[in-house]
Amino acid sequence: MFLLRRACRAPIPLSRCLSTANSSPLALARSRNAPVDIHPEVEEALATNKPVVALETALVSHGVPYPTNLELGLELENLVRSTGCVPATIGFIGGRVKIGLEKHEVERLAEKTFKPSKISRRDVAAAIAMKADGGTTCSTTLIFAALAGIKVFATGGLGGVHRGAESTMDISADLHELTRCPVGLVSGGVKSILDIGKTLEYLETLGVPVLTYGESKEFPAFFSRHSGFEVPWNVPDPSIAAAVLHAQWQLGMNNGALIAVPVPEEHAADGATIQKIIDQAVAESEANGVSRRGKEATPWLLDRINTLSQGKSLKSNIALLKNTAIVGGQIAVQYHKLADERCSSAEAAAKTLQPRNQPQRNSAIVHKKKDASLPPAEIMIVGCAALDITAQARTDTNPALAVHSTAPGSISLSLGGVSRNVAEACHRVMTAQSSPLSTLLVAPIGDDPFGRLLIEETEKFGMRTDGLITSDKHTAVCNMVLDSHGSLVGGVADMDITESFSGDTVIAQIKKHRPSIVALDGNLSEDAIKQIVHHCADHNIKIFFEPTSVIKSTNILPAVSAAMGRVGLDQAPVDFFSPNLLELSQVYQVARTDPHDIMSHQCWWTAIDSLSLGSAFRMDLEQLAKNKVSDEEQSKGSLSFLVDQGSAQMAVNLLPLFQHLVIKCGERGVLVAMRISAQDAANSNWSKERSNPRKRYIVARGKTNEIVVLQHFPPLPVVEKVVNVTGAGDSFGGALLACLAKNPKAFQDVATLERTISAAQMAAILSLQSHFAVSPLLSRPATI
């Protein structure tokens, strides 16, 4: 079952993950808590080797008047998307570097809501310290594109050597940035107000390659296709341009390259006229002293040129920007084709992976981040963190020849493990909610390359890693082999490390952090689960159990059996249980048979009797079962499965074991069954509710005034294509945990329960539409 649960994942290329595991500049910045936020869409694109194009924001904050600047900023993103790339518009919002902006953030810069600064390299630290808004110039955009690993940046004009620089020393920082940022800068050349000849000479001195795009080697003059200056190389199409950038990467060269794209032909006719206007504006700036005001000079000149040209220069400037956005996207697409082919998986693995027979260390060594001031965790998620390796034969492979032999194909890797997935989802949702609560993943890892990679990749999400505990066993790995059609041929799952995880080790972490809720997955051993449940019951810590699979779902039952009678009749041993329908059935069947036989326990009988569910409850249930699964999608059928398959009855019979059951019914929605104690009922608005099968809920009152609720939540519509069924349930659980941590009494309020389940359903849908087990879009505010 473990293999089948993960066979559909679209993974991250192994060569990329392992080759950058210990050297990512972004990971280093994040380890220092640098104020850098990567938009989830951009982060997912980079992790899955989708092409990304960086865009600057100085043109939005300073270069173009409102509202044209806003319209242009958004249109450039759409043009990048039209080429098959993801746009990463870079800017500063409230002192945080944003690699990828939301629409409202572009609007904030365009409308100058907080008086944005124009930020070059020298301004970066000050802007962060002053929590400023700002538009990034070419130099700053290059810095953060390189930090994120973005290989192409499209803009209008590059800064350069100003006229008269031999006496003023006015040379743009953009030029030097190209010597240390391995990014292809696609632009219309250098700004028209500059000295093109001196700029080209200076770039040659710096060793920055300059290439013209097209059939001519003549360097464009921004508004004009002709400057009179030639460069040594031209690239006729996107694939050659991409090959240049790729060759630099292959050789480990850390400089970028300037790819100069002439203005489109239809706007070239105005070039000569605009050039005369430029000369006039430059002369005026020298006469009135503006030319000596540093970064104020450029926007003044551009505005003056636009006025003198009666708007023609702005029109040509916008046309040039749109053109470079498209060309940049085309180059990025070609570069990422080369990146996918640049290194065979076998070669990458051979260079990176080391044999596992390394010297053993003492088990239970906690991995500690450099920041020792981390606060106690509010939520603790305990269980499996694993790496999934997938090998798939090439589509042209003859199946007969691949038997008992190797076959050409691809090998890729992705992060997995139920608890790891749940923890990531919980962390992302809490990040989106700006919650100060801290999530801690407690899981064993090996002292091996896979363990180190797991730490590195976890830190990239901004998650804590101080709960990853080094063991003398191997890191959990699932190795799957797929045929050329993606069907599972076979595989090996090495899960010994999780099954041997000590309950004492986990309890030590619980004592250290004192979380309000502890989530366990079914990969843990029965003994470890029993120890943890016992400790949490004694210290009033809520338990959330994620069953993992049908086979492992019953690992919770020994703990439940041992706890029966140790808690009050109106309080179950486990607070939350989130099975699917198959897991629900399995737990019910095993709970009522040997060796557990929990349903013959006197405490179970007493609890069921106190619920006092009679004929009225059965009639309400029959009415509920007549409802459609979804009022919007009649084809999904009715809720008859609640009665016909006994799902509702099984859930009710498990209420003495689990206080709240949140049952994932797949495309048939979610069923919640819960008991509210008499004490909690007094403060719950469920006490005012009566059964309403039409509204999909049943409310019953027991002998001791406790309340039983059975409520169905219809499935939310899945608008986009489903690309990955792995991790949707884990994302559901993670979002549910985040909501419970924020509001522990969420289930006691009718409206809050509905919002909580809706948030969990939305998290599952986002992951269904993502190539990851957990969608990075969960980190986006207001997404769920």
Side-chain angles (χ1 to χ4, degrees):
M1 291 303 297
F2 184 90
L3 296 176
L4 294 176
R5 284 172 64 86
R6 289 164 173 76
C8 299
R9 182 169 307 171
I12 305 167
L14 179 61
S15 57
R16 181 180 185 275
C17 284
L18 295 182
S19 63
T20 61
N22 294 305
S23 59
S24 165
L26 180 61
L28 180 60
R30 282 177 162 173
S31 73
R32 296 168 175 170
N33 295 320
V36 178
D37 301 323
I38 299 187
H39 192 285
E41 183 186 18
V42 176
E43 186 170 13
E44 179 174 16
L46 291 170
T48 54
N49 268 351
K50 295 177 184 174
V52 180
V53 175
L55 299 170
E56 60 150 294
T57 45
L59 67 91
V60 174
S61 62
H62 291 79
V64 179
Y66 184 83
T68 306
N69 57 348
L70 173 59
E71 297 165 357
L72 178 60
L74 298 176
E75 187 171 3
L76 292 179
E77 288 192 345
N78 290 333
L79 288 170
V80 168
R81 291 187 192 281
S82 73
T83 66
C85 297
V86 173
T89 304
I90 298 175
F92 278 66
I93 299 294
R96 295 194 68 84
V97 181
K98 301 284 185 175
I99 302 177
L101 294 178
E102 297 283 357
K103 181 180 178 182
H104 69 87
E105 292 171 331
V106 179
E107 291 171 347
R108 175 167 162 166
L109 292 177
E111 295 169 359
K112 300 177 173 45
T113 308
F114 295 96
K115 297 181 180 180
S117 301
K118 187 176 181 182
I119 298 178
S120 187
R121 169 181 274 270
R122 69 175 185 181
D123 310 301
V124 168
I128 290 171
M130 304 296 180
K131 301 189 182 304
D133 282 9
T136 52
T137 63
C138 277
S139 66
T140 322
T141 308
L142 282 167
I143 292 169
F144 293 113
L147 181 72
I150 299 170
K151 300 304 296 184
V152 178
F153 162 33
T155 186
L158 177 72
V161 180
H162 283 253
R163 304 182 189 196
E166 61 273 15
S167 57
T168 66
M169 299 301 291
D170 193 352
I171 300 173
S172 172
D174 296 352
L175 303 184
H176 275 276
E177 217 57 63
L178 277 169
T179 67
R180 48 196 169 202
C181 296
V183 177
L185 193 154
V186 182
S187 79
V190 296
K191 292 185 175 71
S192 53
I193 57 177
L194 304 174
D195 189 319
I196 293 176
K198 287 187 175 68
T199 299
L200 292 176
E201 287 287 347
Y202 198 73
L203 284 169
E204 182 179 351
T205 300
L206 295 175
V208 175
V210 179
L211 312 104
T212 56
Y213 186 81
E215 298 300 328
S216 172
K217 292 183 180 178
E218 186 175 8
F219 192 80
F222 202 74
F223 292 115
S224 172
R225 297 174 68 89
H226 306 289
S227 68
F229 296 95
E230 283 201 351
V231 296
W233 303 95
N234 65 295
V235 287
D237 56 51
S239 62
I240 301 300
V244 171
L245 301 178
H246 184 254
Q248 287 186 255
W249 172 85
Q250 287 176 309
L251 296 170
M253 300 176 73
N254 291 321
N255 60 283
L258 173 59
I259 302 169
V261 183
V263 69
E265 285 279 6
E266 59 268 28
H267 295 278
D270 296 326
T273 303
I274 295 174
Q275 190 57 52
K276 292 179 182 178
I277 291 171
I278 291 168
D279 294 338
Q280 178 184 338
V282 169
E284 290 179 7
S285 73
E286 292 171 347
N288 61 21
V290 170
S291 63
R292 295 184 292 277
R293 294 181 188 172
K295 64 181 180 181
E296 294 180 21
T298 298
W300 186 92
L301 283 167
L302 293 177
D303 182 66
R304 182 60 178 155
I305 292 165
N306 185 50
T307 301
L308 293 172
S309 68
Q310 298 180 329
K312 287 183 179 179
S313 67
L314 179 59
K315 186 177 179 181
S316 292
N317 194 356
I318 290 172
L320 184 147
L321 282 160
K322 291 179 180 179
N323 191 42
T324 57
I326 292 172
V327 172
Q330 293 169 342
I331 293 172
V333 168
Q334 294 301 317
Y335 181 89
H336 278 268
K337 286 182 180 178
L338 292 172
D340 283 341
E341 300 168 359
R342 68 193 180 192
C343 169
S344 73
S345 299
E347 290 172 340
K351 292 175 183 177
T352 307
L353 298 183
Q354 300 297 324
R356 280 186 156 183
N357 56 347
Q358 300 179 8
Q360 295 184 348
R361 296 184 182 179
N362 293 330
S363 62
I365 300 174
V366 180
H367 171 71
K368 296 182 182 295
K369 292 184 71 172
K370 292 180 181 178
D371 184 1
S373 62
L374 291 170
E378 181 71 14
I379 310 170
M380 185 175 291
I381 300 165
V382 185
C384 181
L387 294 174
D388 297 343
I389 301 175
T390 305
Q392 182 171 8
R394 232 166 45 192
T395 54
D396 59 355
T397 302
N398 185 335
L401 297 178
V403 177
H404 304 302
S405 179
T406 57
S410 62
I411 299 175
S412 50
L413 178 147
S414 60
L415 301 184
V418 171
S419 280
R420 195 219 65 83
N421 293 345
V422 171
E424 182 188 343
C426 184
H427 167 77
R428 288 190 182 278
V429 172
M430 293 175 72
T431 299
Q433 296 174 343
S434 299
S435 173
L437 300 178
S438 179
T439 304
L440 182 69
L441 169 63
V442 176
I445 59 171
D447 182 19
D448 51 32
F450 286 143
R452 291 188 285 276
L453 176 58
L454 227 163
I455 292 169
E456 173 73 17
E457 293 297 314
T458 300
E459 288 177 344
K460 285 183 180 180
F461 301 133
M463 290 175 60
R464 299 174 62 152
T465 57
D466 52 313
L468 296 178
I469 299 172
T470 303
S471 167
D472 56 6
K473 294 186 178 295
H474 302 155
T475 299
V477 174
C478 178
N479 189 357
M480 296 166 287
V481 179
L482 311 180
D483 63 19
S484 58
H485 303 291
S487 298
L488 183 66
V489 175
V492 175
D494 183 354
M495 297 287 113
D496 288 351
I497 190 170
T498 307
E499 293 166 3
S500 62
F501 200 28
S502 165
D504 290 335
T505 302
V506 176
I507 290 170
Q509 291 293 305
I510 295 174
K511 289 179 178 178
K512 175 183 177 182
H513 292 274
R514 300 182 182 276
S516 62
I517 186 166
V518 172
L520 309 174
D521 79 34
N523 288 300
L524 295 165
S525 69
E526 293 181 354
D527 286 342
I529 294 174
K530 186 187 298 184
Q531 284 181 270
I532 297 166
V533 169
H534 184 104
H535 177 84
C536 290
D538 286 347
H539 293 82
N540 198 29
I541 298 172
K542 294 187 181 299
I543 286 286
F544 182 108
F545 182 66
E546 166 53 52
T548 304
S549 67
V550 172
I551 295 174
K552 297 179 180 180
S553 61
T554 58
N555 282 0
I556 189 69
L557 291 179
V560 170
S561 180
M564 292 295 284
R566 295 183 68 250
V567 295
L569 293 177
D570 61 351
Q571 183 65 42
V574 174
D575 298 276
F576 297 95
F577 179 40
S578 60
N580 60 30
L581 287 170
L582 292 175
E583 292 159 349
L584 173 75
S585 178
Q586 177 72 3
V587 169
Y588 171 75
Q589 297 297 337
V590 175
R592 61 201 294 264
T593 58
D594 291 334
H596 306 295
D597 200 14
I598 297 174
M599 294 182 185
S600 66
H601 198 290
Q602 182 59 44
C603 290
W604 181 87
W605 281 105
T606 304
I608 286 292
D609 181 62
S610 71
L611 299 181
S612 191
L613 302 178
S615 58
F617 182 85
R618 288 192 294 273
M619 290 175 62
D620 288 340
L621 179 57
E622 289 173 1
Q623 290 300 313
L624 175 64
K626 291 178 181 179
N627 285 350
K628 293 292 184 181
V629 166
S630 171
D631 295 331
E632 285 72 32
E633 297 182 71
Q634 299 285 321
S635 61
K636 291 186 180 294
S638 73
L639 297 178
S640 59
F641 71 94
L642 295 179
V643 174
D644 296 345
Q645 297 177 20
S647 300
Q649 295 95 323
M650 286 188 284
V652 169
N653 278 298
L654 289 174
L655 283 176
L657 285 60
F658 308 102
Q659 198 79 17
H660 307 83
L661 288 94
V662 184
I663 304 159
K664 296 165 284 193
C665 305
E667 64 176 9
R668 292 184 285 189
V670 175
L671 179 68
V672 171
M674 61 178 175
R675 295 164 65 197
I676 303 174
S677 68
Q679 181 180 353
D680 290 335
N683 300 312
S684 169
N685 60 9
W686 281 111
S687 63
K688 301 175 183 177
E689 296 291 330
R690 297 293 181 268
S691 292
N692 192 334
R694 286 182 175 273
K695 290 188 176 180
R696 301 174 181 270
Y697 60 81
I698 301 171
V699 181
R701 286 162 178 78
K703 294 178 181 179
T704 58
N705 293 323
E706 67 178 318
I707 296 173
V708 173
V709 177
L710 193 69
Q711 183 170 9
H712 175 260
F713 295 86
L716 298 183
V718 181
V719 179
E720 298 181 19
K721 180 181 177 182
V722 174
V723 298
N724 170 26
V725 298
T726 304
D730 298 341
S731 296
F732 180 98
L736 186 59
L737 271 171
C739 294
L740 287 170
K742 191 173 183 180
N743 186 353
K745 297 186 180 297
F747 281 53
Q748 295 179 25
D749 180 84
V750 178
T752 308
L753 173 61
E754 184 172 352
R755 289 195 298 270
T756 297
I757 298 302
S758 178
Q761 288 179 298
M762 181 55 69
I765 288 173
L766 289 173
S767 290
L768 286 172
Q769 297 167 351
S770 171
H771 288 294
F772 289 99
V774 178
S775 171
L777 295 180
L778 293 182
S779 300
R780 181 183 293 182
T783 299
I784 63 172

